[in-house]
Amino acid sequence: MPPIAPTRAATGADLRQSILDEARRLLIDVGYPKLSMRKIADGVGCSATSIYLHFESKDTLIHALIGEGMRSLFGALQAADPAGDPVGRLAALSRAYVDFGLDNPELYEVMFQLHPERMARFPAEDYRRARRNLDLFEDVLASGAEASVLDAEPTPEVAAHALWTSLHGLVSLRLAERIDVRLAADAFTDAALARTVRAFRA
Amino acid sequence: MPPIAPTRAATGADLRQSILDEARRLLIDVGYPKLSMRKIADGVGCSATSIYLHFESKDTLIHALIGEGMRSLFGALQAADPAGDPVGRLAALSRAYVDFGLDNPELYEVMFQLHPERMARFPAEDYRRARRNLDLFEDVLASGAEASVLDAEPTPEVAAHALWTSLHGLVSLRLAERIDVRLAADAFTDAALARTVRAFRA
Amino acid sequence: MPPIAPTRAATGADLRQSILDEARRLLIDVGYPKLSMRKIADGVGCSATSIYLHFESKDTLIHALIGEGMRSLFGALQAADPAGDPVGRLAALSRAYVDFGLDNPELYEVMFQLHPERMARFPAEDYRRARRNLDLFEDVLASGAEASVLDAEPTPEVAAHALWTSLHGLVSLRLAERIDVRLAADAFTDAALARTVRAFRA
Amino acid sequence: MPPIAPTRAATGADLRQSILDEARRLLIDVGYPKLSMRKIADGVGCSATSIYLHFESKDTLIHALIGEGMRSLFGALQAADPAGDPVGRLAALSRAYVDFGLDNPELYEVMFQLHPERMARFPAEDYRRARRNLDLFEDVLASGAEASVLDAEPTPEVAAHALWTSLHGLVSLRLAERIDVRLAADAFTDAALARTVRAFRA
DNA sequence: AATGAATGAGGATTCATTCAT
DNA sequence: CATGAATGAATCCTCATTCAT
């Protein structure tokens, strides 16, 4: 009846992270619809109950995962941001965004394709964090517009969303493997990306 | 003892269609993740078992739904195609594509966001049908390029895919309700759409 | 994956009854709070899922049990009704009521101590059936009052409820084993019963 | 690292009382079947584990609650006891008993409807305490019998139990909301109570 | 005296599917 | 062509309790 020993893997505060790691791994492995608390527990080597010590519910866990993903995406964008010339920044950021999506397929989908109605409310704080990513693009567009090298019409905010739209579509269709196999995937990605960025030149 | 009478709804070949109709309806009603054979059967007024007389499995049924959706999208695109000026055609087709997505949210997601790897093989025939939709865009781009009013670089095929990518991103983010609420959804859609189409002008 | 053979016990329409029987048995064995679908299924030798073919939910099953109990109680009362002298009838019915309760302890509690708020709505039809039992007492009291041998003040309906109240209290405390052990249970029951009935003599 | 500070509520012996208070409160709030250690702990602002420092088990806690309830009931009866005329005393005590039950619905049920067999042994001390309440009725009946104004046949003890039986039945059915809604609940209670008391007049 | 972390057992219910008829 | 009966596996989550600290 009582626990005999710290079963196998992480314990304490580490467990929380282990759970997130395993959840992320499983997301890629089996996909969101088949992600279950039991599988996560089995994966980390703890009991399903233990998960509830660290996450209120499955939704909360997913939220945490999304939050993590948003932070991670932000980091990737910042790391890729060359600073300086807005045009170059825009290209670099766009590329980094797409790469992030292609490198974290299921995580990306959970981050951007999950319906809010199907999940408990996303905490406001996490929402703000998600927003920061777009702000990055908005900033670049705004400064590029000021320097007359980028077209941020009608407003940098709208333009940033429009740009995002194109990048997301590219990632999304590639992840869903809907791009014709006869098109070399990487070459196509390059072409589409170039086109998208070009469309925002002044 | 044999069944007494065809319970309520259609029988024979009709039943197949009734099942598809109900599945499509339920898709909107309860969403893909909660779509179940039983619910479909209850909705049509037949037994769950009967569905298996017409569809090998749930996957097969979903495939049929996708095929239907693809045909339906093709119809919508054709109906919206004004013929004549390639630039006008491109705008009209793009708009029609986006409208179809926004008008059939759940169906659209099943059509374009479902992972093929997690479903039984998508039949080649259906694949071809899906392809036709893109061909429409490709044709327009090709003829526009020939008339030097559209930019179909590097090839019409790639350009068509790139265009599709943008349109899909727009639909996808709107369906996932990820567009900032402060942006009027319809106005934003118009703006993004205009921008996308403009990017393909020569 | 598929069923191999009609596992063990009843099948078909019989299964429904077997489930009810087992549920009734378990009620006595482990009590209402620990009654679970799984245990019932194990008891009858079918899968937990199968129960849902016959009962919509646990509540529905309990309702069915209550309905059965009410019918059964009604039968017991009728069988014990000697006809004729209202005083004798009242005594016989009262005794039969108490005996029924003592003979079906858990069933009795589910029938009369379960909080309606804690269960889905009790179907109207079953409600009427429950009512019939009281009507029997009401009839006897009314006819006894007419013959001036019983006191049905202020009205037969109220008097019947008041009588019921006493009988139920007797059953309830005996079932909860709250009657002092130094009092011989049966002798006490006789005494209390006699007193109750006497209180309704004119 | 040791606990930093007594979190919020009481500590030491006070905590015991806080736990009982919260348990009683929760009993009304969520009902016995959904009463859980965790909920109690959350309510008091202590850890679930801490409860076990003061109560051996959930059963023990419930026992304590029952004991408290019995004391409380005893207080209510004593407070209502007018002294003097046995007939008046009997009426007053009976009314007080019923009121106590109706005013503390969930507690009353735990006190008188819980099956001892399904709980760890009820400590003898608590048993004695429960007994005192009945003794009160027994005394009144005995003195009333001596004064030939009450009927305590066959013995005051048995008569007290019989009286209790009726009072309990009244409370129990009212708590379970089994009294026909067409009967005004309070009026009916008055009528049934009057009848019960009258039945013990000499 | 008090805690945080952990657990195994169990809760009701839904699912896609299959069998014999 | 159609069915009703049945199933095992899976779902999220809650429970009372215990351990080391």
Side-chain angles (χ1 to χ4, degrees):
Chain A
M1 270 172 201
I4 309 222
T7 336
R8 201 171 90 207
T11 293
D14 289 344
L15 181 53
R16 193 194 140 94
Q17 192 52 51
S18 301
I19 291 170
L20 283 175
D21 292 345
E22 179 65 15
R24 209 183 313 107
R25 205 189 60 73
L26 276 172
L27 219 41
I28 293 167
D29 217 41
V30 305
Y32 177 71
K34 294 206 171 171
L35 180 66
S36 87
M37 299 302 252
R38 281 229 270 256
K39 277 178 198 147
I40 297 173
D42 287 355
V44 293
C46 76
S47 81
T49 317
S50 294
I51 300 185
Y52 288 89
L53 288 175
H54 298 276
F55 302 94
E56 230 174 50
S57 67
K58 196 186 175 186
D59 273 0
T60 323
L61 198 164
I62 298 288
H63 282 156
L65 220 45
I66 295 179
E68 234 196 14
M70 292 297 180
R71 260 194 306 278
S72 168
L73 170 56
F74 189 66
L77 293 178
Q78 277 188 314
D81 189 339
D85 166 36
V87 176
R89 291 182 65 201
L90 190 67
L93 287 177
S94 300
R95 161 108 275 164
Y97 182 95
V98 170
D99 283 347
F100 177 88
L102 298 180
D103 289 344
N104 306 277
E106 290 283 352
L107 181 56
Y108 183 88
E109 295 191 0
V110 169
M111 287 166 66
F112 295 115
Q113 292 185 353
L114 220 49
H115 280 222
E117 353 140 1
R118 289 194 197 132
M119 293 189 50
R121 205 92 217 104
F122 195 61
E125 191 198 353
D126 290 352
Y127 196 75
R128 265 190 305 275
R129 200 146 33 219
R131 199 38 229 239
R132 281 188 317 175
N133 295 309
L134 253 185
D135 290 345
L136 226 48
F137 285 94
E138 197 176 325
D139 288 350
V140 174
L141 282 167
S143 64
E146 207 157 328
S148 298
V149 293
L150 290 178
D151 161 20
E153 293 301 317
T155 70
E157 189 183 22
V158 169
H161 275 81
L163 170 59
W164 179 30
T165 268
S166 288
L167 299 178
H168 170 72
L170 176 53
V171 173
S172 174
L173 283 181
R174 279 225 35 204
L175 293 185
E177 295 179 28
R178 286 305 207 287
I179 302 299
D180 197 306
V181 284
R182 287 172 304 180
L183 269 45
D186 286 338
F188 170 72
T189 303
D190 291 346
L193 198 44
R195 212 178 230 293
T196 293
V197 173
R198 200 181 334 133
F200 286 82
R201 311 261 323 234
Chain B
M1 238 166 278
I4 315 246
T7 338
R8 193 173 97 211
T11 297
D14 286 348
L15 181 52
R16 195 193 137 91
Q17 192 52 50
S18 302
I19 290 171
L20 282 175
D21 291 345
E22 179 65 15
R24 208 183 317 106
R25 205 189 61 71
L26 276 173
L27 220 42
I28 292 169
D29 218 40
V30 305
Y32 177 70
K34 295 203 172 171
L35 182 67
S36 86
M37 298 302 252
R38 215 153 44 208
K39 278 178 197 147
I40 298 174
D42 286 355
V44 209
C46 76
S47 80
T49 317
S50 294
I51 300 185
Y52 287 86
L53 294 172
H54 298 276
F55 302 94
E56 221 176 58
S57 69
K58 196 188 178 186
D59 276 0
T60 325
L61 196 164
I62 299 290
H63 281 155
L65 218 46
I66 295 180
E68 235 197 16
M70 292 297 179
R71 262 197 304 278
S72 169
L73 170 56
F74 189 66
L77 293 178
Q78 278 188 312
D81 189 339
D85 166 36
V87 176
R89 290 181 64 201
L90 191 66
L93 286 177
S94 299
R95 161 110 274 162
Y97 181 93
V98 171
D99 284 348
F100 177 88
L102 298 180
D103 290 344
N104 305 278
E106 296 283 349
L107 179 57
Y108 184 88
E109 294 187 5
V110 170
M111 286 167 66
F112 293 115
Q113 293 185 352
L114 226 48
H115 279 221
E117 8 145 0
R118 301 230 179 75
M119 293 187 52
R121 203 93 218 99
F122 196 62
E125 188 199 355
D126 290 350
Y127 193 75
R128 248 167 289 134
R129 199 146 35 219
R131 193 48 223 236
R132 282 191 315 176
N133 295 309
L134 254 185
D135 289 345
L136 228 45
F137 285 93
E138 197 177 326
D139 287 350
V140 174
L141 282 166
S143 65
E146 206 156 333
S148 299
V149 293
L150 290 178
D151 161 20
E153 293 302 319
T155 70
E157 187 182 23
V158 169
H161 274 81
L163 170 58
W164 178 31
T165 266
S166 289
L167 299 178
H168 170 71
L170 176 53
V171 173
S172 175
L173 284 180
R174 280 226 33 204
L175 292 186
E177 294 178 30
R178 284 306 206 288
I179 302 300
D180 199 302
V181 285
R182 287 172 304 181
L183 271 44
D186 286 338
F188 171 74
T189 304
D190 291 346
L193 198 44
R195 210 175 231 295
T196 293
V197 173
R198 202 182 332 133
F200 286 83
R201 311 258 324 231
Chain C
M1 269 172 203
I4 309 224
T7 338
R8 201 172 90 209
T11 294
D14 289 344
L15 182 52
R16 193 193 140 93
Q17 193 53 49
S18 302
I19 291 170
L20 283 175
D21 291 346
E22 179 65 15
R24 210 182 313 106
R25 205 189 62 73
L26 275 172
L27 221 40
I28 292 167
D29 216 40
V30 304
Y32 177 72
K34 295 205 170 171
L35 180 66
S36 86
M37 299 302 252
R38 283 225 274 247
K39 277 178 197 147
I40 298 174
D42 286 355
V44 294
C46 75
S47 79
T49 316
S50 293
I51 300 183
Y52 287 86
L53 288 174
H54 299 276
F55 302 94
E56 231 174 49
S57 66
K58 196 187 175 186
D59 274 0
T60 324
L61 197 164
I62 298 289
H63 281 157
L65 220 45
I66 296 180
E68 236 196 14
M70 292 296 179
R71 262 194 305 276
S72 169
L73 170 56
F74 189 66
L77 293 178
Q78 278 188 314
D81 189 338
D85 166 36
V87 176
R89 290 182 64 201
L90 191 66
L93 287 177
S94 300
R95 161 108 274 164
Y97 181 94
V98 170
D99 283 349
F100 177 88
L102 298 180
D103 289 344
N104 305 278
E106 289 284 351
L107 181 55
Y108 183 87
E109 294 190 1
V110 170
M111 286 167 67
F112 294 115
Q113 293 185 352
L114 219 50
H115 280 222
E117 352 140 2
R118 291 195 196 129
M119 293 189 50
R121 205 93 215 101
F122 196 61
E125 190 197 354
D126 291 352
Y127 195 75
R128 264 190 304 275
R129 201 146 33 218
R131 195 43 226 234
R132 282 189 317 175
N133 295 309
L134 252 186
D135 290 344
L136 226 48
F137 285 94
E138 195 176 327
D139 287 350
V140 174
L141 282 166
S143 65
E146 206 156 332
S148 300
V149 293
L150 291 178
D151 161 22
E153 292 303 319
T155 70
E157 188 182 22
V158 169
H161 274 82
L163 171 57
W164 179 30
T165 266
S166 289
L167 299 177
H168 170 72
L170 176 52
V171 174
S172 174
L173 284 180
R174 279 224 36 204
L175 293 186
E177 296 178 27
R178 285 305 206 286
I179 302 299
D180 197 306
V181 284
R182 288 172 303 181
L183 269 46
D186 286 338
F188 170 73
T189 302
D190 291 347
L193 198 44
R195 210 175 231 295
T196 293
V197 173
R198 200 180 334 130
F200 286 82
R201 312 252 332 224
Chain D
M1 237 166 280
I4 314 249
T7 338
R8 195 173 94 211
T11 298
D14 286 348
L15 181 52
R16 195 193 136 93
Q17 192 53 48
S18 301
I19 291 170
L20 282 175
D21 291 346
E22 179 65 15
R24 208 182 319 105
R25 206 190 60 72
L26 276 173
L27 220 42
I28 292 168
D29 217 41
V30 305
Y32 178 70
K34 295 203 172 171
L35 182 67
S36 87
M37 298 301 252
R38 216 152 44 205
K39 277 179 197 147
I40 298 173
D42 286 355
V44 209
C46 76
S47 81
T49 319
S50 296
I51 300 185
Y52 287 87
L53 293 174
H54 298 276
F55 302 94
E56 218 176 62
S57 68
K58 196 187 178 188
D59 276 0
T60 324
L61 197 164
I62 299 290
H63 281 155
L65 218 46
I66 295 179
E68 236 198 14
M70 291 298 180
R71 261 197 304 279
S72 168
L73 170 56
F74 189 66
L77 292 179
Q78 277 188 314
D81 189 339
D85 167 35
V87 176
R89 289 183 65 200
L90 191 66
L93 286 177
S94 299
R95 161 108 275 164
Y97 182 94
V98 169
D99 283 349
F100 178 88
L102 298 180
D103 290 344
N104 305 279
E106 296 282 350
L107 179 57
Y108 183 88
E109 294 186 6
V110 169
M111 287 167 65
F112 294 115
Q113 292 185 349
L114 225 49
H115 279 223
E117 8 145 0
R118 301 227 180 76
M119 293 188 51
R121 204 95 217 99
F122 196 63
E125 188 199 354
D126 289 351
Y127 192 77
R128 249 168 288 133
R129 204 154 20 228
R131 196 44 226 239
R132 282 191 314 176
N133 294 308
L134 254 184
D135 290 345
L136 228 46
F137 285 94
E138 198 176 324
D139 287 350
V140 174
L141 282 166
S143 65
E146 206 156 330
S148 299
V149 292
L150 291 179
D151 161 20
E153 293 301 319
T155 70
E157 187 182 24
V158 169
H161 274 81
L163 170 58
W164 179 31
T165 269
S166 288
L167 299 178
H168 170 71
L170 177 52
V171 174
S172 174
L173 285 181
R174 279 227 32 205
L175 293 185
E177 295 178 30
R178 285 306 206 286
I179 303 299
D180 199 303
V181 285
R182 287 172 305 182
L183 269 45
D186 286 338
F188 171 74
T189 303
D190 291 347
L193 198 45
R195 210 177 231 292
T196 293
V197 173
R198 200 181 332 134
F200 286 83
R201 310 269 313 242

